[in-house]
Amino acid sequence: MAAPAHAIDVSCLEVAPGDPRPTTETASEALRRTGVLAAQDRLERSGRGQAGAGTTVAVLSSGISGAADLPLGPGGTSVVGPGPVVDPTGTVVAGLVAGPARDDDLPVGVAPGVELVDVRVYDTATPTQEGQEAPDAAALADGLAHVRDRVPSVDIVVVPLQVPQDDRVADLVSDLVEAGVLVVAQGGDRPVDLVGEVAADAGSGSLTALATPRPDEDAGPLVHPAALPGVVAVGPLPEQVNDPLRSSALDVVAPADDAVSVSLEGGHCVLDDNGSSAWSTGLVAGVLAMLRSAYPQAEPEELVARLVATADGRPDVRSPLTGAGQVQALAALTATAGELRAGGYAGDTDVPRPSIAAAAPEEPEDLLATTRGSAVWWGLLGGGALLLAVLARPLLARRR
């Protein structure tokens, strides 16, 4: 059936304040591709509730528009002053994490049960008016400090932006990781696509060093906070971006396009042909929120183990373009402890580990274990007797 005239797909980045609410009949290919749809269905059928329920995610970005009708909780702030939200990044990322399903029951966010905390750390990537603030490390540090002061009321922090190395940012991220907060950050975009390009004279650690692709490049040490220990660094699928960064810090990747989210004016919009790792970061933060709600007693490192060990690449042999591979939400949700260990995830990133590497949340008690064990032993004894008879037959025949 053809889509009605008012349902023409609109890019999330093209909706400005005051525009009509967009609408779309497009389903999120990104959710299908990452196994999120199947994982959401599994959670609902298991009786464990809505994905993300009971989990709080702080979004440190350009602000979340009040018109977006997203599940905002208390504790938000703007460290760059008042004023309307004009940049769509924060709203779009928040929609990818926790956007409610549409009226046609098509999912939007990965974990719609999440409660969001809006921490606005910049106004717009490209300021056009006096007083507007672009992303920088100082404001990001202020936002991180705001979240740290509210621990343990925040479970996950998502940072869909990148800044150069900064000691205060590093200290605050370390505090959050030590407190058990999961920090998810974008692994990096080239400066031409940056959310807040760094000035050319910013020094040897400047992100502008990544403007020109080089065969031997490593964005890992330059892109912060993704480079920091304990941070889950997320990249886009390489085929969805022009000249993707190569990074030793990359943990996993997720689609950067073919997703549906929420615009500045509410309604639903599409992400297509943009390829920012900010969108991938939102999706992965949503998957971690889903895992947190499914395994509320698990340690943060156990949730990261699920995420990384079940990605579709090699967790023990990381790719500079894809890390451990694309996230697989259903596999991350359902993997057993043995499957996680078999996946090769044994402390191969900077994320702190428990004493038992790659331990998964405790599995349900096997009520038939004793009966099954007895059956196995009887089977082994019977099989052993048969094997001895077969082996002894030639020997007995020679004796006759």
Side-chain angles (χ1 to χ4, degrees), residues 236-261:
L237 300 183
E239 63 268 25
Q240 291 185 339
V241 297
N242 294 322
D243 296 323
L245 289 179
R246 303 174 68 87
S247 172
S248 59
L250 205 58
D251 289 310
V252 292
V253 294
D257 289 335
D258 301 325
V260 174
S261 190

Side-chain angles (χ1 to χ4, degrees), residues 167-191:
D167 290 342
R168 186 166 170 241
V169 168
D171 289 343
L172 288 161
V173 166
S174 178
D175 290 346
L176 289 168
V177 172
E178 288 283 336
V181 177
L182 285 162
V183 181
V184 188
Q186 70 176 65
D189 296 330
R190 292 215 177 271

Side-chain angles (χ1 to χ4, degrees), residues 99-146:
R102 293 179 274 178
D103 292 339
D104 53 10
D105 290 331
L106 286 176
V108 175
V110 177
V114 154
E115 182 176 79
L116 297 166
V117 176
D118 178 16
V119 182
R120 181 168 155 190
V121 296
Y122 70 93
D123 292 316
T124 178
T126 54
T128 57
Q129 299 177 17
E130 185 177 352
Q132 288 183 337
E133 299 290 340
D136 63 34
L140 175 59
D142 289 342
L144 291 167
H146 176 82

Side-chain angles (χ1 to χ4, degrees), residues 5-281:
H6 66 277
I8 297 174
D9 289 345
V10 175
S11 168
C12 294
L13 304 185
E14 294 176 356
V15 180
D19 285 353
R21 280 193 170 201
T23 183
T24 179
E25 292 187 348
T26 298
S28 176
E29 172 63 15
L31 295 186
R32 185 202 64 79
R33 184 169 183 173
T34 53
V36 168
L37 298 179
Q40 289 175 336
D41 180 65
R42 177 68 63 89
L43 268 178
E44 291 178 5
R45 288 191 290 108
S46 70
R48 282 186 281 183
Q50 192 175 40
T55 304
T56 301
V57 177
V59 180
L60 277 64
S61 188
S62 60
I64 300 174
S65 171
D69 297 328
L70 290 167
L72 289 173
T77 191
S78 172
V79 303
V80 293
V85 176
V86 295
D87 187 300
T89 304
T91 303
V92 171
V93 169
L96 292 169
V97 173
R102 293 179 274 178
D103 292 339
D104 53 10
D105 290 331
L106 286 176
V108 175
V110 177
V114 154
E115 182 176 79
L116 297 166
V117 176
D118 178 16
V119 182
R120 181 168 155 190
V121 296
Y122 70 93
D123 292 316
T124 178
T126 54
T128 57
Q129 299 177 17
E130 185 177 352
Q132 288 183 337
E133 299 290 340
D136 63 34
L140 175 59
D142 289 342
L144 291 167
H146 176 82
V147 175
R148 182 196 58 185
D149 293 343
R150 281 148 184 82
V151 170
S153 61
V154 174
D155 301 295
I156 299 171
V157 172
V158 55
V159 186
L161 61 92
Q162 58 203 57
V163 297
Q165 191 278 332
D166 181 85
D167 290 342
R168 186 166 170 241
V169 168
D171 289 343
L172 288 161
V173 166
S174 178
D175 290 346
L176 289 168
V177 172
E178 288 283 336
V181 177
L182 285 162
V183 181
V184 188
Q186 70 176 65
D189 296 330
R190 292 215 177 271
V192 293
D193 299 319
L194 280 180
V195 178
E197 185 173 344
V198 180
D201 60 354
S204 60
S206 168
L207 297 175
T208 56
L210 302 172
T212 302
R214 300 192 316 272
D216 61 342
E217 79 175 359
D218 182 9
L222 298 179
V223 178
H224 287 246
L228 297 172
V231 175
V232 179
V234 182
L237 300 183
E239 63 268 25
Q240 291 185 339
V241 297
N242 294 322
D243 296 323
L245 289 179
R246 303 174 68 87
S247 172
S248 59
L250 205 58
D251 289 310
V252 292
V253 294
D257 289 335
D258 301 325
V260 174
S261 190
V262 183
S263 81
L264 280 174
E265 288 298 313
H268 297 100
C269 51
V270 297
L271 292 166
D272 190 22
D273 297 328
N274 180 64
S276 171
S277 58
W279 318 140
S280 306
T281 304

